[in-house]
Amino acid sequence: MRTGAPFDVLVVGSGASGLAAAVSAAHAGAHVALATKTTLQACNSAKAQGGIQAAFGGDDSPEIHAEDVMRSSHETANPRLVEILTTEAPSAIRWLEELGVAFTRSNGGYRLARCGGATRERLLQVGDRTGHAITKALRDAYEASDGVQLPHHSLRAIAPSASGWRATFETREGVADVDASTVVLAAGGRCYREAETRGELSTNHPNATGEVTRIALDAGAEARDLDALQYHPNGGAWPATMQGYSIPETTRAYGAVLLNADGEEFTDSLGPRDAVSQAIFDEVERGKGVLTPDGRPAVWLDTTRISQEDAEISLPYMLRRYRGGGVDPLTEKILTYPVLHYQNGGLVIDEHAETTLEGVYACGEIAGGTHGRNRMMGNSLLECTVFGRRAGRAAAERSRG
């Protein structure tokens, strides 16, 4: 089955990066189709809680932000992509605000927090539902455009065609081909499926299965760092209803610290994600961890050090979740252990988010290089916005010849 005349831009994936690309392409005048495996609402981005980084502080700058990214990546990130990420961060925030995202404010400015691996306070938040707020605003903007929605379209292949590219999807009605001048791949990573394979927990949505990366590789695209998967240092370990939940890293930004079985701090709680996760693994291996009631390894996250004001402003969703499970994080420590979270590597892209396949773009978690082999907290939603916008604009421009 063929779906009508070719589109200018076909976007695959409805998380923050795909939505940003689709909105950007539509605003550039392109005829856009947005395809997604299930529904537009089903994505990892909506689950992102911590926030989004941008250098707005008086003592901060895009250059300092870039230095933090490179250091956290152990100098493995692509410096040009990092420069774009941090330089365009403030304008990305303003664009999101124009679309209706209301970032938490304090004392006449943004309420900024310092996150793991950062040397400055630059994390903007919408309470602890930042990803939800961003994806809702982007989805509303796309739904208000003339763009076409293709829900329940699971990508099976892409191949060159007379019009540019042909994408083959599995749908509820059978196989469907969609032709487009350009394609933007924004289907995320593979950590949910990887966790299932390893018998581990993951913070990811069940749609994060990684087949679109494989499809791009089969079509000839190049990739980098695909072996570099990231653990979120603070996965929920207990109660059982919180297992696999990503405890916002802003808990540590607002004063929580990691403790071993003896009540001792054993690492810099605001270190880079890979360092903090490894420190937890090592502490448990040394016999200094604690066991959850169902026998899982864990350490303590002392959230009682967070002030009630900070918690109510920046962590309300976490408080509701834990209190609903019978634990009050402001009066008792909580159990935590690293959980599989993010695919650091992905498809190789240039500064316009174009892959090594002409006319095929990639943005968000499916793309590699911006984070190197270790991503900083708060840069995922930023990458989705910055490079989603770039991918959408570039794809729209190419479609016009």
Side-chain angles (χ1 to χ4, degrees), residues 17-39:
S17 61
L19 290 167
V23 171
S24 181
H27 286 180
H31 182 35
V32 182
L34 176 59
T36 188
K37 190 188 300 186
T38 53
T39 67

Side-chain angles (χ1 to χ4, degrees), residues 54-62 64 90 110 112-113 120-124:
F56 283 107
D59 63 344
D60 201 3
S61 69
I64 296 174
Y110 296 116
L112 301 174
R120 300 290 190 276
E121 294 179 347
R122 72 169 70 92
L123 189 75
L124 290 81

Side-chain angles (χ1 to χ4, degrees), residues 286-308:
R286 289 198 316 124
K288 294 289 187 176
V290 294
L291 289 178
T292 64
D294 62 349
R296 294 175 180 267
V299 295
W300 294 110
L301 180 65
D302 187 359
T303 47
T304 67
R305 306 187 189 201
I306 303 171
S307 74
Q308 184 166 332

Side-chain angles (χ1 to χ4, degrees), residues 125-148:
Q125 306 140 80
V126 183
D128 54 355
R129 299 298 303 280
T130 309
H132 173 78
I134 288 174
T135 52
K136 184 180 185 305
L138 289 168
R139 191 166 56 248
D140 288 349
Y142 184 70
E143 290 175 343
S145 76
D146 293 328
V148 173

